[in-house]
Amino acid sequence: MRRAQTFTWGGLVVGLSAAILVAFIGIPVGALIARGFIEGDVLEALRSPVATTALWLSLATSAIAVAVAVALGTPAAYLLARRSFPGRSIVDTLIDLPVVLPPVVGGLALLVALGRNGVIGGPFDAAGVDVAFTTGAVVLAQLFVAVPFYIRAARAGFESVDRRLEAVSATLGAGGWRTFRRVTVPLALPSLIGGAVMCWARALGEFGATIMFAGNVFGRTQTMPLAILEAIETDVDAALAIAIVLIVLAFAGLLVFKGLARLGGRVL
Amino acid sequence: MIRADIRTTVGGFDLAVDLAVDREITVLYGHSGAGKTLTLEAIAGLLTPREGRITLHDRLVFDSAAGVDVPPQRRDLGYLVQSYALFPHLTVAQNIAYGLSHVRRAERRERVERFARMFGVDDLLRRRPARISGGQAQRVALARALVREPRVLLLDEPFAAVDSSNRRTMRRELRQLAQRLDLSVVMVTHDLTEAYNVGDQLAVIDRGRVLQAGPRDEVFHRPASARAAELLGVQNILPGRVVGADGGRVHVATGLGMVEAQAESRPATDHVQLAVRAEQIILERPDRPSTHRENRFQVTIIDEAAFGFSHTLVVRADDAASGAPTLEIDVPAHPYQVLNVPAHRDWRIHIPPEAVHVIGE
């Protein structure tokens, strides 16, 4: 039975503060979208070279970053969820660090390590391979800031898998790899996909680390967020259009993430 | 024959178990936290003991001295964990087929169907575990474990998630199954009735040690220690002193008075404990006094509890010294009514000497 909604001052305060918050986030986003459509032609602006080039570069680099994050992050997440080893909490904290670190600091760190005079960059440079200020650097910058999002979600997913199921799988003749493939991964899958989506959304919006480590070179390192920065001075319509695309993609990513979280709770 | 002689420490808990199990049903009985599940996990290979040896039907699967530790997937045994742990993302058919990846597809299907039929779950094959009952889940889990045709079956509290009305049938079925499939079964339970009804062999486990092991009736009627007697549900444990022995009888002075016990020989020590089950003490009919001369005591009922089909009386002996122990007596519902027990407080009881078990610790 639903309780009748009666007026209370407390209720008014709670409702009002919630309304203010919703307006605070909703109005700027709404205004941006409205302006893009009313004052300019979003679809037309999206066809400009700045926008299309940035869009494709962003999609390609973020896709690669997510693929690498999944490939390297899945074993790491499993390790953190299932095994105890010396220095585990340090590893755990280190992996979370990029989440709270200003991205520009991350970019600077990458530059120091992978630039021409860096620990890793030096030998590469000697071999004639440039890392910094290339499209590859864009991927690395995105990976650096976004991979924690995947590892955290994957780890939580693995932790939620009942260990008795893995034990039973072993007594039914399955070795570690088969158990991982047929029991652990399927049961953690909603978390794994959710984590990958969040990781991708973060990679797509990456700005600070990228501009520091990869620069802002049209066609090579200028992803969508960087293109906005440049276009805002030359082609406002294009900047707005790119921003709208980012909003739509971020919103869609969140919807998928939340849908999977609910699905995971229901099926299992 | 399963032999497990292992010692290990898990989170501060010491386990030192020595068990020999024959081609029958062996019940590991004890309170929760006694180390029963740890023992099963060690046999299954899910827990590596610090030291010891485990053999399954003459096959060495663990030996700390020789560095042998066969992983669980190659120990060739069925393990039914508590609450069954069916794979929630797989159908019943896929669950049963899980352990048959080494078998060709046609044979796999045939075996899944045969075992599903054997356990009466053949109409559930396409369902997910979330959509079947506790009893059905237990059957599916058994089919899943046994479809691989292991020689050893480990069961951890297999009836805990089953309605009590179905338990009796399932216990009987388990016994038949063990015989038909020629299985050595090791079952863990904390339920005494279950331990008694299912086990051929009984091992009493307490604080990580095997207190006593052997054929069920022997363990049940001849507990080796006061603690074992207590765990085995002996309500009356009387400390006493042996004052004589003759003709297969031992005379023991207790707080209750002189008690005669049937025993083949005088125990090694004079300080003993007498174990007497509450259901073996006889309440005498006032109109028909017993012809026995020994072990008759005048008592007063001081408390009473009813448990559906029987009544438990707590009595105190009238002649006994002060601070004398009280006794518990189980009286079935029918004699309780015929004798009209509630109407009288004073009764005579008789303890048959063969019902008195002498524990000489």
Side-chain angles (χ1 to χ4, degrees):
Chain A
M1 213 172 68
R2 263 188 79 180
R3 259 178 58 195
Q5 300 275 331
T6 51
F7 175 83
T8 59
W9 285 104
L12 183 70
V13 170
V14 171
L16 214 58
S17 45
I20 290 170
L21 205 62
V22 168
F24 176 65
I25 298 172
I27 289 174
V29 172
L32 195 155
I33 295 173
R35 180 153 172 201
F37 278 98
I38 294 163
E39 294 188 12
D41 186 343
V42 174
L43 297 176
E44 183 59 41
L46 273 179
R47 273 190 225 113
S48 71
V50 178
T52 47
T53 309
L55 180 64
W56 287 116
L57 187 69
S58 266
L59 289 179
T61 51
S62 62
I64 295 169
V66 169
V68 176
V70 170
L72 296 179
T74 307
Y78 184 77
L79 219 61
L80 285 170
R82 282 287 189 260
R83 303 264 189 278
S84 64
F85 49 87
R88 183 173 176 277
S89 59
I90 293 174
V91 171
D92 194 29
T93 311
L94 199 65
I95 285 177
D96 278 345
L97 194 61
V99 176
V100 290
L101 212 59
V104 70
V105 176
L108 186 59
L110 284 170
L111 194 59
V112 169
L114 290 160
R116 283 197 175 160
N117 302 317
V119 222
I120 311 171
F124 272 93
D125 185 51
V129 181
D130 276 340
V131 183
F133 307 109
T134 63
T135 306
V138 176
V139 173
L140 291 179
Q142 291 174 344
L143 184 67
F144 188 89
V145 296
V147 75
F149 289 87
Y150 175 72
I151 292 181
R152 288 175 74 107
R155 180 189 169 173
F158 288 139
E159 275 170 353
S160 73
V161 175
D162 188 346
R163 302 189 72 158
R164 288 178 320 153
L165 294 172
E166 295 171 331
V168 165
S169 169
T171 67
L172 291 170
W177 174 235
R178 193 171 133 75
T179 298
F180 184 72
R181 249 181 340 115
R182 291 218 43 203
V183 176
T184 315
V185 167
L187 290 175
L189 201 58
S191 299
L192 299 183
I193 296 176
V197 169
M198 289 309 281
C199 174
W200 171 73
R202 181 68 190 85
L204 201 64
E206 216 306 299
F207 177 84
T210 311
I211 203 158
M212 197 76 192
F213 181 47
N216 191 354
V217 184
F218 174 78
R220 274 181 53 203
T221 72
Q222 190 178 78
T223 54
M224 285 196 281
L226 276 62
I228 291 176
L229 182 73
E230 190 164 303
I232 199 72
E233 298 187 346
T234 55
D235 183 357
V236 179
D237 279 358
L240 287 172
I242 296 167
I244 289 170
V245 170
L246 281 172
I247 290 171
V248 169
L249 288 176
F251 202 81
L254 275 174
L255 280 184
V256 170
F257 179 76
K258 292 187 181 211
L260 281 167
R262 206 171 315 132
L263 190 75
R266 195 146 40 85
V267 169
L268 309 175
Chain B
M1 174 95 167
I2 303 170
R3 184 78 201 274
D5 178 10
I6 49 168
R7 284 161 301 285
T8 196
T9 306
V10 182
F13 180 81
D14 270 321
L15 186 76
V17 162
D18 189 357
L19 264 183
V21 170
D22 246 325
R23 191 171 296 172
E24 290 178 303
I25 301 182
T26 300
V27 170
L28 307 186
Y29 165 73
H31 290 327
S32 39
K36 308 182 299 282
T37 298
L38 290 180
T39 306
L40 278 199
E41 286 177 349
I43 296 173
L46 299 169
L47 172 86
T48 304
R50 186 179 60 238
E51 52 182 12
R53 259 173 79 90
I54 300 171
T55 54
L56 304 175
H57 295 296
D58 300 325
R59 180 177 164 225
L60 183 67
V61 294
F62 179 75
D63 188 342
S64 56
V68 176
D69 186 9
V70 177
Q73 59 266 30
R74 279 190 267 123
R75 290 204 178 181
D76 189 27
L77 42 73
Y79 185 17
L80 200 71
V81 298
Q82 211 171 348
S83 63
Y84 319 131
L86 295 178
F87 300 122
H89 59 301
L90 303 179
T91 63
V92 165
Q94 288 167 332
N95 262 280
I96 298 175
Y98 188 87
L100 294 176
S101 57
H102 57 293
V103 172
R104 274 184 297 114
R105 180 173 295 216
E107 194 197 335
R108 194 187 313 162
R109 183 182 303 165
E110 184 274 321
R111 268 163 81 168
V112 168
E113 279 170 9
R114 181 154 50 90
F115 275 77
R117 238 179 291 120
M118 188 190 293
F119 288 94
V121 293
D122 44 333
D123 51 340
L124 308 174
L125 284 173
R126 291 214 234 150
R127 291 216 207 154
R128 292 289 173 99
R131 307 195 57 88
I132 64 180
S133 73
Q136 289 167 337
Q138 188 218 37
R139 289 160 176 280
V140 173
L142 269 174
R144 178 178 68 175
L146 292 174
V147 75
R148 288 164 54 79
E149 297 178 346
R151 305 273 311 283
V152 175
L153 179 62
L154 309 177
L155 304 170
D156 194 350
E157 303 277 3
F159 305 110
V162 177
D163 295 336
S164 56
S165 55
N166 290 326
R167 279 190 202 165
R168 270 166 71 170
T169 328
M170 296 187 128
R171 287 175 195 153
R172 199 175 54 237
E173 284 175 359
L174 175 63
R175 295 188 59 83
Q176 290 166 352
L177 191 72
Q179 238 159 35
R180 186 150 46 116
L181 300 180
D182 190 23
L183 285 169
S184 299
V185 178
V186 182
M187 178 180 122
V188 155
T189 183
H190 67 275
D191 181 327
L192 186 60
T193 315
E194 201 161 282
Y196 187 78
N197 285 333
V198 178
D200 300 302
Q201 305 273 327
L202 199 57
V204 182
I205 297 193
D206 187 41
R207 298 186 190 117
R209 305 284 185 279
V210 178
L211 286 186
Q212 189 178 1
R216 176 194 70 182
D217 287 329
E218 197 186 305
V219 173
F220 204 69
H221 292 296
R222 310 204 150 278
S225 62
R227 178 65 181 156
E230 198 185 317
L231 289 171
L232 288 164
V234 177
Q235 300 88 336
N236 301 305
I237 299 171
L238 302 171
R241 192 167 49 80
V242 177
V243 294
D246 55 61
R249 292 280 173 91
V250 176
H251 310 284
V252 182
T254 71
L256 197 65
M258 194 60 72
V259 175
E260 288 196 17
Q262 191 165 299
E264 278 137 38
S265 59
R266 187 177 174 135
T269 165
D270 278 350
H271 291 280
V272 295
Q273 315 247 25
L274 301 183
V276 185
R277 292 196 163 273
E279 68 272 16
Q280 290 186 305
I281 299 176
I282 295 160
L283 207 58
E284 286 187 7
R285 290 182 64 155
D287 55 327
R288 224 185 278 169
S290 163
T291 54
H292 299 283
R293 265 185 290 149
E294 78 294 311
N295 293 1
R296 292 179 77 202
F297 303 98
Q298 186 71 36
V299 299
T300 306
I301 297 175
I302 55 173
D303 199 6
E304 181 185 336
F307 296 105
F309 305 109
S310 75
H311 297 259
T312 297
L313 310 176
V314 180
V315 304
R316 179 175 286 134
D318 294 346
D319 306 334
S322 63
T326 56
L327 290 178
E328 281 189 24
I329 305 175
D330 276 351
V331 182
H334 183 66
Y336 184 87
Q337 280 165 17
V338 171
L339 292 169
N340 196 13
V341 170
H344 312 280
R345 289 188 68 227
D346 299 318
W347 294 86
R348 282 185 85 78
I349 59 165
H350 171 59
I351 307 176
E354 60 272 20
V356 183
H357 170 60
V358 183
I359 302 168
E361 283 183 291

